[in-house]
Amino acid sequence: MHSGILYSLGQSLREILTSLIGVPILVDLLMTIICATILLLIMATSALVFTLGERKICAFIQVRIGPNRVGPGGLLQSVADMLKLMDKEDIVPRGIDTWLWVLSPILLLVPSALIYAFFPFDDGVILADVNVGLFLLIAITSQTVLPFLMGGYSSNSKYALIGGMRTVAQMLGYEVPMVFALMGIVMITGSLKMSAIVEAQSDVWFIVLQPLAFLIYIITALVESNRPPFNIVEGESEIIAGPFTEYTGMRWALFFLAEFSNLMCIGILTTTLFLGGWHGPDFLPGFCWFWIKTFLCVLFYQWVGWTFPRARVDSMLSFGWKVLLPIALINVLLTGVGIYVYNVM
Amino acid sequence: MGTYFELDKLDLLKAQFDTAEYDAEQAEPALYIGKEQLLDLMRVLRETPTYSFDRMGMLTAVDYKDYIEMVYSLYSRRYDKWVTVKVKLDRDNPEVESMTQIWEGTNFEERETYDLMGVKFLHHPDLRRILMPDNYEAHPLRKDFVPLEPRIEGGVLTWHKQRSMS
Amino acid sequence: MAQTEKYVLNMGPQHPSTHGVLQVQVELDGENIVGAKPVMGYLHRGIEKLMESRTYVQCVPFTDRLDYVSAMNNNLGFCMAVEKLAGIEVPERAEYIRVICAELNRIASHHVFIGSLTNDLGSATGMIYAFRDREKILDLFNIICGARMTAHYIRIGGVAADAQDEFLRDTQKFIDYVPEMLDEYNKLFSGNEIFQARMKKTSIITKEMALKFGMSGPNIRASGVDYDIRKIDKYGAYGKFDFDVPLGKRGDNWDRYMIRMKEIAESAKIIQQALDNMPEGPYMAKVPKVLRPPKGDAYHRVENTRGELGFYIVSDGSTKPYRVHIRRPSFVNLQALDTMCKGMLLADAVTAFATIDPLMGEVDC
């Protein structure tokens, strides 16, 4: 029923494992472990790729050259960065709430990694194609707020505290319009299943059917992933680095990793929800289309990020509540009317 | 910078204030005034419509070893005139009325003069040191200034008189 | 019943956007600012005291270190004060070269303003663009005197060396580039919605407040007070050039930004006129090798990039100044910080620091 290279690869692997082990539950477990490992690897590699990519793209926008010393054309820069971060002294500030402080970066990574299970990379290639996929996805991404607040609260630093509080305020600002914007898609698809959403876009992408929702989504996605112009939580010129002001070395690297994972995550979500996922002309396999679209989305988000100044907290919040939310609600109404008219015709 | 305040107006002021005097032989004579009458003089200079010196251009103090002299440079935007007012102060206990009562913007400059020259400004809203550390006890721009010696005592930076150099 | 409490946040002296080592004690109620007290002195080098033990000529390099992003203007202020004290006439060509250098430096300093402002607003891209163009001016300084920032080019009695043809030609090239440059800035930030939303109607200084605080420079002109010492005093060769003094209306951050953008265009206009009418002749007056100004005092003020920069010099007839006092514009302007920040958000405090444009080298002297 499914086609595509990745799916058939997975099927043949399952067959090999079945012939080797023979117990279906064990095979399922093993397959899950393999898939999860691959996803984590993708996430880690993406952080490596994006550190360099971000620097190069930022340099291109800022009429600079960017990293060019480590390796040919600066290709190994991210490796050097990683080594540097590992080498750094692990400073634990005085007067912190130790448990919360230590747990914060680790907990932040969990939701960022978890959501990769719900992404359809190709036809049939999805780790957990649950019935409430989109709902679960939004629920999990909202959890990133908590570790930020924990880090900010426990750091015994006023900058971090302000940053932590901003996360919560910001979450209230963007989450509601985002959910209502995605409602339109769910209404058209008639399902919360991620694979069904991609399947529904085999003829027309949702960017055509839901242009308003697309606009709202890209804005809220920028907010959600703390990208400029909405990097209010970090706001490096105001509150140094927000919740992770007091973190160094590998602890800070975990925040960093989560940030890039989130960046790729919003790229993937934009692709999946609005740009037809793995659909594309036949001359390339589905997963290639998926990654091409994802990278173009990421490029777009970086481009926006490096061009705009940072919005202020209050204007972002009032924009979310007073502009985005009404538009999102109108979009839901229009979609409903549209579906009714389509069905009648 | 514009033209200097006319001599006949200086004469008028001299008649009005008994401690006011100036050296008529100089091209741009500074107006000397006793420190008791300084505030009144400044009020007159600022508020009289024919003078209207609305801008305190500069404010500083000079240590002349036997006395300290406050120097005020006033500017009138309306008439494009400027005038220098000087006050001689006792070196051991320099005290003068604060100009923040007339020009609020002299706050920092007076704090600086207090910090570096040790002139006390009466009725100043917030007379604290501004450039030097709060626990520093000398006034660097005095001519007999000897730098204090920094020492860490109990984790706090403190300043002490130098032991004799020999 | 929830309990609320105000708290004090120490921004600086190590903070990404306090422009050097300024410390601001911001009293906060949530994120609303209740008060902002600047704490200075971290860069205090005692330049006034140091000058007392050096000859007049040796004092000039200290002025470079005052406001190190507009060194030429500081040189100009000090040299003119000494010339006034010693009665030295400066040749006309030197006056013209001085004006060109001072105005170029004004543009470069406004580049730093634009760059640091956009950086503080969170778009580092703006900073790179502004600093890229500033580099062109620093290269010009490199041609004329071999130094880029701490120029020490304007000397007592004239300038250190004659302006070469190469310098004049490259300056002309830069002046031709200025409109294009401003256009690019306008496209990149002035027209940006977020930028405008953050700048407009924030940190307002009214005309009365600006006069009360004794502010000067672009900051007071943004509040609508026509106070430009280049126009009022016409010192040096400034009386010979035709230029406008841009004025603001509301005195908000946006006005303070736009004033500087317009000033760049006006400076370019002045430089263009100076280049067109550059007289021939000596570039240095006859200044005695050992300069002993007569006993007395002199106060001279110039329009520095940040406002009214005044030098008060007391001479006791020896080779060294008896006392030098520097009226630093940023130092006086900083008094407005508290009023500007009150009732704003923490993010606006950063914008307020940036638009007041203090330079700690000058504030702390």
Side-chain angles (χ1 to χ4, degrees), chain A residues 61-62 158-159 166 236-238 240 306 308-310 312 314, chain C residues 8 10 15-17 31 120-121 125 128-129 192 198 348:
Chain A
I61 291 170
Q62 298 181 344
K158 284 166 189 165
Y159 293 118
R166 280 184 180 186
E236 75 279 347
S237 59
E238 298 144 26
I240 324 292
W306 288 111
F308 287 113
R310 186 183 314 110
R312 215 171 51 189
D314 60 332
Chain C
V8 174
N10 276 304
H15 187 276
S17 51
E31 275 210 37
D120 287 352
L121 286 174
T125 309
I128 307 269
Y129 275 74
N192 188 306
R198 289 200 58 176
D348 292 318

PDB file of all heavy atoms in Angstrom, chain A residues 61-62 158-159 166 236-238 240 306 308-310 312 314, chain C residues 8 10 15-17 31 120-121 125 128-129 192 198 348:
ATOM      1  N   ILE A  61      24.019  37.126   4.893  1.00  0.00           N
ATOM      2  CA  ILE A  61      23.087  38.256   5.012  1.00  0.00           C
ATOM      3  C   ILE A  61      23.813  39.492   5.520  1.00  0.00           C
ATOM      4  O   ILE A  61      23.504  40.613   5.132  1.00  0.00           O
ATOM      5  CB  ILE A  61      21.915  37.855   5.923  1.00  0.00           C
ATOM      6  CG1 ILE A  61      21.057  36.811   5.216  1.00  0.00           C
ATOM      7  CG2 ILE A  61      21.057  39.057   6.284  1.00  0.00           C
ATOM      8  CD1 ILE A  61      20.045  36.172   6.076  1.00  0.00           C
ATOM      9  N   GLN A  62      24.801  39.283   6.371  1.00  0.00           N
ATOM     10  CA  GLN A  62      25.508  40.422   6.959  1.00  0.00           C
ATOM     11  C   GLN A  62      26.762  40.820   6.185  1.00  0.00           C
ATOM     12  O   GLN A  62      27.700  41.355   6.766  1.00  0.00           O
ATOM     13  CB  GLN A  62      25.889  40.093   8.399  1.00  0.00           C
ATOM     14  CG  GLN A  62      24.685  39.833   9.268  1.00  0.00           C
ATOM     15  CD  GLN A  62      25.071  39.532  10.690  1.00  0.00           C
ATOM     16  OE1 GLN A  62      26.220  39.237  10.959  1.00  0.00           O
ATOM     17  NE2 GLN A  62      24.124  39.611  11.592  1.00  0.00           N
ATOM     18  N   LYS A 158      18.584  37.461  38.232  1.00  0.00           N
ATOM     19  CA  LYS A 158      17.386  38.211  37.864  1.00  0.00           C
ATOM     20  C   LYS A 158      17.131  38.153  36.370  1.00  0.00           C
ATOM     21  O   LYS A 158      15.994  38.099  35.919  1.00  0.00           O
ATOM     22  CB  LYS A 158      17.521  39.658  38.318  1.00  0.00           C
ATOM     23  CG  LYS A 158      17.317  39.792  39.808  1.00  0.00           C
ATOM     24  CD  LYS A 158      17.776  41.137  40.299  1.00  0.00           C
ATOM     25  CE  LYS A 158      17.759  41.166  41.820  1.00  0.00           C
ATOM     26  NZ  LYS A 158      18.510  42.297  42.347  1.00  0.00           N
ATOM     27  N   TYR A 159      18.207  38.175  35.597  1.00  0.00           N
ATOM     28  CA  TYR A 159      18.039  38.087  34.145  1.00  0.00           C
ATOM     29  C   TYR A 159      17.336  36.792  33.781  1.00  0.00           C
ATOM     30  O   TYR A 159      16.408  36.767  32.975  1.00  0.00           O
ATOM     31  CB  TYR A 159      19.396  38.131  33.452  1.00  0.00           C
ATOM     32  CG  TYR A 159      20.100  39.447  33.572  1.00  0.00           C
ATOM     33  CD1 TYR A 159      21.318  39.548  34.221  1.00  0.00           C
ATOM     34  CD2 TYR A 159      19.551  40.591  33.025  1.00  0.00           C
ATOM     35  CE1 TYR A 159      21.975  40.758  34.323  1.00  0.00           C
ATOM     36  CE2 TYR A 159      20.186  41.800  33.129  1.00  0.00           C
ATOM     37  CZ  TYR A 159      21.401  41.884  33.775  1.00  0.00           C
ATOM     38  OH  TYR A 159      22.040  43.074  33.874  1.00  0.00           O
ATOM     39  N   ARG A 166       9.149  35.556  30.950  1.00  0.00           N
ATOM     40  CA  ARG A 166       8.764  35.929  29.579  1.00  0.00           C
ATOM     41  C   ARG A 166       8.309  34.705  28.794  1.00  0.00           C
ATOM     42  O   ARG A 166       7.398  34.802  27.978  1.00  0.00           O
ATOM     43  CB  ARG A 166       9.945  36.575  28.865  1.00  0.00           C
ATOM     44  CG  ARG A 166      10.133  38.030  29.226  1.00  0.00           C
ATOM     45  CD  ARG A 166      11.242  38.606  28.400  1.00  0.00           C
ATOM     46  NE  ARG A 166      11.473  40.003  28.706  1.00  0.00           N
ATOM     47  CZ  ARG A 166      12.311  40.766  28.036  1.00  0.00           C
ATOM     48  NH1 ARG A 166      12.985  40.257  27.038  1.00  0.00           N
ATOM     49  NH2 ARG A 166      12.476  42.023  28.344  1.00  0.00           N
ATOM     50  N   GLU A 236      19.179  38.912  23.877  1.00  0.00           N
ATOM     51  CA  GLU A 236      20.543  39.032  24.389  1.00  0.00           C
ATOM     52  C   GLU A 236      20.961  40.458  24.718  1.00  0.00           C
ATOM     53  O   GLU A 236      21.843  40.656  25.533  1.00  0.00           O
ATOM     54  CB  GLU A 236      21.542  38.375  23.440  1.00  0.00           C
ATOM     55  CG  GLU A 236      21.865  39.145  22.167  1.00  0.00           C
ATOM     56  CD  GLU A 236      20.816  38.976  21.092  1.00  0.00           C
ATOM     57  OE1 GLU A 236      19.965  38.079  21.236  1.00  0.00           O
ATOM     58  OE2 GLU A 236      20.850  39.742  20.119  1.00  0.00           O
ATOM     59  N   SER A 237      20.297  41.465  24.104  1.00  0.00           N
ATOM     60  CA  SER A 237      20.736  42.809  24.446  1.00  0.00           C
ATOM     61  C   SER A 237      20.025  43.331  25.686  1.00  0.00           C
ATOM     62  O   SER A 237      20.408  44.340  26.242  1.00  0.00           O
ATOM     63  CB  SER A 237      20.508  43.753  23.272  1.00  0.00           C
ATOM     64  OG  SER A 237      19.162  43.778  22.929  1.00  0.00           O
ATOM     65  N   GLU A 238      18.973  42.642  26.137  1.00  0.00           N
ATOM     66  CA  GLU A 238      18.280  43.107  27.337  1.00  0.00           C
ATOM     67  C   GLU A 238      18.607  42.231  28.533  1.00  0.00           C
ATOM     68  O   GLU A 238      19.048  42.717  29.564  1.00  0.00           O
ATOM     69  CB  GLU A 238      16.760  43.071  27.115  1.00  0.00           C
ATOM     70  CG  GLU A 238      16.300  43.971  26.007  1.00  0.00           C
ATOM     71  CD  GLU A 238      15.149  43.355  25.248  1.00  0.00           C
ATOM     72  OE1 GLU A 238      14.417  42.546  25.829  1.00  0.00           O
ATOM     73  OE2 GLU A 238      15.003  43.669  24.061  1.00  0.00           O
ATOM     74  N   ILE A 240      20.673  39.400  28.645  1.00  0.00           N
ATOM     75  CA  ILE A 240      21.868  38.568  28.404  1.00  0.00           C
ATOM     76  C   ILE A 240      21.542  37.301  27.624  1.00  0.00           C
ATOM     77  O   ILE A 240      21.768  37.261  26.431  1.00  0.00           O
ATOM     78  CB  ILE A 240      22.585  38.189  29.709  1.00  0.00           C
ATOM     79  CG1 ILE A 240      22.534  39.319  30.723  1.00  0.00           C
ATOM     80  CG2 ILE A 240      24.005  37.771  29.443  1.00  0.00           C
ATOM     81  CD1 ILE A 240      23.304  40.527  30.378  1.00  0.00           C
ATOM     82  N   TRP A 306      17.488  36.952  10.712  1.00  0.00           N
ATOM     83  CA  TRP A 306      18.656  37.816  10.649  1.00  0.00           C
ATOM     84  C   TRP A 306      18.357  39.172  10.033  1.00  0.00           C
ATOM     85  O   TRP A 306      19.245  39.984   9.868  1.00  0.00           O
ATOM     86  CB  TRP A 306      19.799  37.126   9.896  1.00  0.00           C
ATOM     87  CG  TRP A 306      20.376  36.043  10.727  1.00  0.00           C
ATOM     88  CD1 TRP A 306      20.279  34.704  10.505  1.00  0.00           C
ATOM     89  CD2 TRP A 306      21.095  36.192  11.944  1.00  0.00           C
ATOM     90  NE1 TRP A 306      20.882  34.014  11.499  1.00  0.00           N
ATOM     91  CE2 TRP A 306      21.397  34.900  12.393  1.00  0.00           C
ATOM     92  CE3 TRP A 306      21.503  37.291  12.709  1.00  0.00           C
ATOM     93  CZ2 TRP A 306      22.104  34.681  13.587  1.00  0.00           C
ATOM     94  CZ3 TRP A 306      22.197  37.063  13.876  1.00  0.00           C
ATOM     95  CH2 TRP A 306      22.500  35.778  14.303  1.00  0.00           C
ATOM     96  N   PHE A 308      15.207  41.032  10.854  1.00  0.00           N
ATOM     97  CA  PHE A 308      14.338  41.889  11.663  1.00  0.00           C
ATOM     98  C   PHE A 308      14.916  42.170  13.043  1.00  0.00           C
ATOM     99  O   PHE A 308      15.579  41.313  13.612  1.00  0.00           O
ATOM    100  CB  PHE A 308      12.972  41.228  11.834  1.00  0.00           C
ATOM    101  CG  PHE A 308      12.148  41.254  10.598  1.00  0.00           C
ATOM    102  CD1 PHE A 308      11.846  40.091   9.924  1.00  0.00           C
ATOM    103  CD2 PHE A 308      11.684  42.447  10.100  1.00  0.00           C
ATOM    104  CE1 PHE A 308      11.100  40.107   8.780  1.00  0.00           C
ATOM    105  CE2 PHE A 308      10.925  42.472   8.950  1.00  0.00           C
ATOM    106  CZ  PHE A 308      10.636  41.303   8.288  1.00  0.00           C
ATOM    107  N   PRO A 309      14.608  43.348  13.565  1.00  0.00           N
ATOM    108  CA  PRO A 309      14.915  43.582  14.978  1.00  0.00           C
ATOM    109  C   PRO A 309      13.923  42.832  15.866  1.00  0.00           C
ATOM    110  O   PRO A 309      12.912  42.331  15.380  1.00  0.00           O
ATOM    111  CB  PRO A 309      14.774  45.095  15.138  1.00  0.00           C
ATOM    112  CG  PRO A 309      13.994  45.554  13.985  1.00  0.00           C
ATOM    113  CD  PRO A 309      14.090  44.536  12.916  1.00  0.00           C
ATOM    114  N   ARG A 310      14.230  42.800  17.143  1.00  0.00           N
ATOM    115  CA  ARG A 310      13.410  42.029  18.072  1.00  0.00           C
ATOM    116  C   ARG A 310      12.155  42.813  18.469  1.00  0.00           C
ATOM    117  O   ARG A 310      12.221  44.005  18.729  1.00  0.00           O
ATOM    118  CB  ARG A 310      14.222  41.702  19.316  1.00  0.00           C
ATOM    119  CG  ARG A 310      13.505  40.795  20.280  1.00  0.00           C
ATOM    120  CD  ARG A 310      14.309  40.560  21.524  1.00  0.00           C
ATOM    121  NE  ARG A 310      15.693  40.251  21.229  1.00  0.00           N
ATOM    122  CZ  ARG A 310      16.701  41.060  21.486  1.00  0.00           C
ATOM    123  NH1 ARG A 310      16.490  42.206  22.070  1.00  0.00           N
ATOM    124  NH2 ARG A 310      17.920  40.719  21.186  1.00  0.00           N
ATOM    125  N   ARG A 312       9.018  43.781  20.985  1.00  0.00           N
ATOM    126  CA  ARG A 312       8.991  43.953  22.428  1.00  0.00           C
ATOM    127  C   ARG A 312       7.958  43.003  23.031  1.00  0.00           C
ATOM    128  O   ARG A 312       7.043  42.575  22.345  1.00  0.00           O
ATOM    129  CB  ARG A 312       8.615  45.401  22.734  1.00  0.00           C
ATOM    130  CG  ARG A 312       9.280  45.968  23.934  1.00  0.00           C
ATOM    131  CD  ARG A 312       9.022  47.425  24.010  1.00  0.00           C
ATOM    132  NE  ARG A 312       7.589  47.726  23.891  1.00  0.00           N
ATOM    133  CZ  ARG A 312       7.115  48.950  23.761  1.00  0.00           C
ATOM    134  NH1 ARG A 312       7.931  49.957  23.702  1.00  0.00           N
ATOM    135  NH2 ARG A 312       5.840  49.163  23.672  1.00  0.00           N
ATOM    136  N   ASP A 314       5.464  43.296  25.204  1.00  0.00           N
ATOM    137  CA  ASP A 314       4.052  43.661  25.231  1.00  0.00           C
ATOM    138  C   ASP A 314       3.461  43.732  23.839  1.00  0.00           C
ATOM    139  O   ASP A 314       2.323  43.306  23.614  1.00  0.00           O
ATOM    140  CB  ASP A 314       3.854  44.984  25.979  1.00  0.00           C
ATOM    141  CG  ASP A 314       4.606  46.113  25.312  1.00  0.00           C
ATOM    142  OD1 ASP A 314       5.626  45.814  24.674  1.00  0.00           O
ATOM    143  OD2 ASP A 314       4.181  47.269  25.409  1.00  0.00           O
TER     144      ASP A 314
ATOM    145  N   VAL C   8      15.712  45.591  42.278  1.00  0.00           N
ATOM    146  CA  VAL C   8      16.708  46.369  41.546  1.00  0.00           C
ATOM    147  C   VAL C   8      17.533  45.434  40.686  1.00  0.00           C
ATOM    148  O   VAL C   8      18.037  44.416  41.153  1.00  0.00           O
ATOM    149  CB  VAL C   8      17.624  47.130  42.517  1.00  0.00           C
ATOM    150  CG1 VAL C   8      18.739  47.809  41.756  1.00  0.00           C
ATOM    151  CG2 VAL C   8      16.834  48.152  43.291  1.00  0.00           C
ATOM    152  N   ASN C  10      20.813  45.262  38.407  1.00  0.00           N
ATOM    153  CA  ASN C  10      22.036  45.970  38.052  1.00  0.00           C
ATOM    154  C   ASN C  10      22.411  45.641  36.630  1.00  0.00           C
ATOM    155  O   ASN C  10      22.940  44.570  36.347  1.00  0.00           O
ATOM    156  CB  ASN C  10      23.177  45.555  38.982  1.00  0.00           C
ATOM    157  CG  ASN C  10      23.151  46.331  40.256  1.00  0.00           C
ATOM    158  OD1 ASN C  10      23.183  47.557  40.229  1.00  0.00           O
ATOM    159  ND2 ASN C  10      23.065  45.638  41.361  1.00  0.00           N
ATOM    160  N   HIS C  15      27.550  44.222  30.582  1.00  0.00           N
ATOM    161  CA  HIS C  15      26.252  43.936  29.989  1.00  0.00           C
ATOM    162  C   HIS C  15      26.384  44.210  28.505  1.00  0.00           C
ATOM    163  O   HIS C  15      27.051  45.153  28.117  1.00  0.00           O
ATOM    164  CB  HIS C  15      25.180  44.844  30.620  1.00  0.00           C
ATOM    165  CG  HIS C  15      23.786  44.499  30.191  1.00  0.00           C
ATOM    166  ND1 HIS C  15      23.264  44.986  29.030  1.00  0.00           N
ATOM    167  CD2 HIS C  15      22.836  43.742  30.763  1.00  0.00           C
ATOM    168  CE1 HIS C  15      22.020  44.506  28.903  1.00  0.00           C
ATOM    169  NE2 HIS C  15      21.750  43.760  29.938  1.00  0.00           N
ATOM    170  N   PRO C  16      25.747  43.378  27.664  1.00  0.00           N
ATOM    171  CA  PRO C  16      25.963  43.542  26.224  1.00  0.00           C
ATOM    172  C   PRO C  16      25.571  44.912  25.682  1.00  0.00           C
ATOM    173  O   PRO C  16      26.088  45.323  24.660  1.00  0.00           O
ATOM    174  CB  PRO C  16      25.092  42.457  25.609  1.00  0.00           C
ATOM    175  CG  PRO C  16      24.629  41.606  26.689  1.00  0.00           C
ATOM    176  CD  PRO C  16      24.936  42.213  27.992  1.00  0.00           C
ATOM    177  N   SER C  17      24.653  45.611  26.318  1.00  0.00           N
ATOM    178  CA  SER C  17      24.183  46.815  25.630  1.00  0.00           C
ATOM    179  C   SER C  17      24.244  48.064  26.488  1.00  0.00           C
ATOM    180  O   SER C  17      23.421  48.948  26.334  1.00  0.00           O
ATOM    181  CB  SER C  17      22.766  46.599  25.123  1.00  0.00           C
ATOM    182  OG  SER C  17      21.981  46.130  26.164  1.00  0.00           O
ATOM    183  N   GLU C  31       8.259  43.976  34.767  1.00  0.00           N
ATOM    184  CA  GLU C  31       9.187  44.453  33.735  1.00  0.00           C
ATOM    185  C   GLU C  31       9.067  45.948  33.534  1.00  0.00           C
ATOM    186  O   GLU C  31       9.694  46.516  32.661  1.00  0.00           O
ATOM    187  CB  GLU C  31       8.943  43.724  32.408  1.00  0.00           C
ATOM    188  CG  GLU C  31       9.672  42.411  32.338  1.00  0.00           C
ATOM    189  CD  GLU C  31      10.060  42.022  30.936  1.00  0.00           C
ATOM    190  OE1 GLU C  31      10.419  42.898  30.144  1.00  0.00           O
ATOM    191  OE2 GLU C  31       9.990  40.826  30.644  1.00  0.00           O
ATOM    192  N   ASP C 120      21.248  46.675  19.616  1.00  0.00           N
ATOM    193  CA  ASP C 120      20.506  46.599  20.869  1.00  0.00           C
ATOM    194  C   ASP C 120      19.055  46.231  20.632  1.00  0.00           C
ATOM    195  O   ASP C 120      18.403  45.660  21.495  1.00  0.00           O
ATOM    196  CB  ASP C 120      20.565  47.943  21.598  1.00  0.00           C
ATOM    197  CG  ASP C 120      21.921  48.180  22.191  1.00  0.00           C
ATOM    198  OD1 ASP C 120      22.729  47.240  22.160  1.00  0.00           O
ATOM    199  OD2 ASP C 120      22.178  49.285  22.674  1.00  0.00           O
ATOM    200  N   LEU C 121      18.555  46.589  19.468  1.00  0.00           N
ATOM    201  CA  LEU C 121      17.180  46.215  19.152  1.00  0.00           C
ATOM    202  C   LEU C 121      17.097  44.771  18.673  1.00  0.00           C
ATOM    203  O   LEU C 121      16.028  44.300  18.329  1.00  0.00           O
ATOM    204  CB  LEU C 121      16.618  47.138  18.078  1.00  0.00           C
ATOM    205  CG  LEU C 121      16.274  48.538  18.548  1.00  0.00           C
ATOM    206  CD1 LEU C 121      15.878  49.391  17.382  1.00  0.00           C
ATOM    207  CD2 LEU C 121      15.165  48.503  19.559  1.00  0.00           C
ATOM    208  N   THR C 125      22.409  42.427  12.136  1.00  0.00           N
ATOM    209  CA  THR C 125      22.703  42.737  10.749  1.00  0.00           C
ATOM    210  C   THR C 125      22.901  44.237  10.538  1.00  0.00           C
ATOM    211  O   THR C 125      23.797  44.663   9.822  1.00  0.00           O
ATOM    212  CB  THR C 125      21.551  42.241   9.864  1.00  0.00           C
ATOM    213  OG1 THR C 125      21.300  40.891  10.209  1.00  0.00           O
ATOM    214  CG2 THR C 125      21.890  42.332   8.415  1.00  0.00           C
ATOM    215  N   ILE C 128      26.362  45.363  11.430  1.00  0.00           N
ATOM    216  CA  ILE C 128      27.413  45.038  10.480  1.00  0.00           C
ATOM    217  C   ILE C 128      27.377  46.011   9.308  1.00  0.00           C
ATOM    218  O   ILE C 128      28.402  46.468   8.827  1.00  0.00           O
ATOM    219  CB  ILE C 128      27.251  43.591   9.987  1.00  0.00           C
ATOM    220  CG1 ILE C 128      27.156  42.652  11.172  1.00  0.00           C
ATOM    221  CG2 ILE C 128      28.339  43.215   9.033  1.00  0.00           C
ATOM    222  CD1 ILE C 128      28.419  42.094  11.669  1.00  0.00           C
ATOM    223  N   TYR C 129      26.166  46.362   8.852  1.00  0.00           N
ATOM    224  CA  TYR C 129      26.068  47.279   7.721  1.00  0.00           C
ATOM    225  C   TYR C 129      26.633  48.643   8.088  1.00  0.00           C
ATOM    226  O   TYR C 129      27.371  49.253   7.314  1.00  0.00           O
ATOM    227  CB  TYR C 129      24.611  47.400   7.259  1.00  0.00           C
ATOM    228  CG  TYR C 129      24.221  46.310   6.292  1.00  0.00           C
ATOM    229  CD1 TYR C 129      24.014  45.021   6.744  1.00  0.00           C
ATOM    230  CD2 TYR C 129      24.095  46.562   4.937  1.00  0.00           C
ATOM    231  CE1 TYR C 129      23.676  44.009   5.873  1.00  0.00           C
ATOM    232  CE2 TYR C 129      23.754  45.553   4.053  1.00  0.00           C
ATOM    233  CZ  TYR C 129      23.542  44.292   4.533  1.00  0.00           C
ATOM    234  OH  TYR C 129      23.218  43.283   3.663  1.00  0.00           O
ATOM    235  N   ASN C 192      11.162  49.461   8.754  1.00  0.00           N
ATOM    236  CA  ASN C 192      10.725  48.207   9.373  1.00  0.00           C
ATOM    237  C   ASN C 192       9.661  48.459  10.438  1.00  0.00           C
ATOM    238  O   ASN C 192       9.824  49.314  11.304  1.00  0.00           O
ATOM    239  CB  ASN C 192      11.950  47.539   9.991  1.00  0.00           C
ATOM    240  CG  ASN C 192      11.667  46.164  10.489  1.00  0.00           C
ATOM    241  OD1 ASN C 192      10.753  45.965  11.262  1.00  0.00           O
ATOM    242  ND2 ASN C 192      12.432  45.210  10.045  1.00  0.00           N
ATOM    243  N   ARG C 198       9.058  49.977  18.045  1.00  0.00           N
ATOM    244  CA  ARG C 198       9.875  50.085  19.256  1.00  0.00           C
ATOM    245  C   ARG C 198      10.415  51.486  19.462  1.00  0.00           C
ATOM    246  O   ARG C 198      10.759  51.862  20.576  1.00  0.00           O
ATOM    247  CB  ARG C 198      11.034  49.086  19.191  1.00  0.00           C
ATOM    248  CG  ARG C 198      10.550  47.681  19.360  1.00  0.00           C
ATOM    249  CD  ARG C 198      11.640  46.767  19.777  1.00  0.00           C
ATOM    250  NE  ARG C 198      12.268  47.176  21.025  1.00  0.00           N
ATOM    251  CZ  ARG C 198      13.203  46.477  21.632  1.00  0.00           C
ATOM    252  NH1 ARG C 198      13.601  45.363  21.111  1.00  0.00           N
ATOM    253  NH2 ARG C 198      13.738  46.907  22.754  1.00  0.00           N
ATOM    254  N   ASP C 348      12.791  48.757  26.649  1.00  0.00           N
ATOM    255  CA  ASP C 348      12.930  50.146  26.215  1.00  0.00           C
ATOM    256  C   ASP C 348      14.141  50.814  26.857  1.00  0.00           C
ATOM    257  O   ASP C 348      14.693  51.765  26.304  1.00  0.00           O
ATOM    258  CB  ASP C 348      11.678  50.940  26.582  1.00  0.00           C
ATOM    259  CG  ASP C 348      10.481  50.494  25.785  1.00  0.00           C
ATOM    260  OD1 ASP C 348      10.667  50.262  24.583  1.00  0.00           O
ATOM    261  OD2 ASP C 348       9.402  50.377  26.355  1.00  0.00           O
TER     262      ASP C 348
END
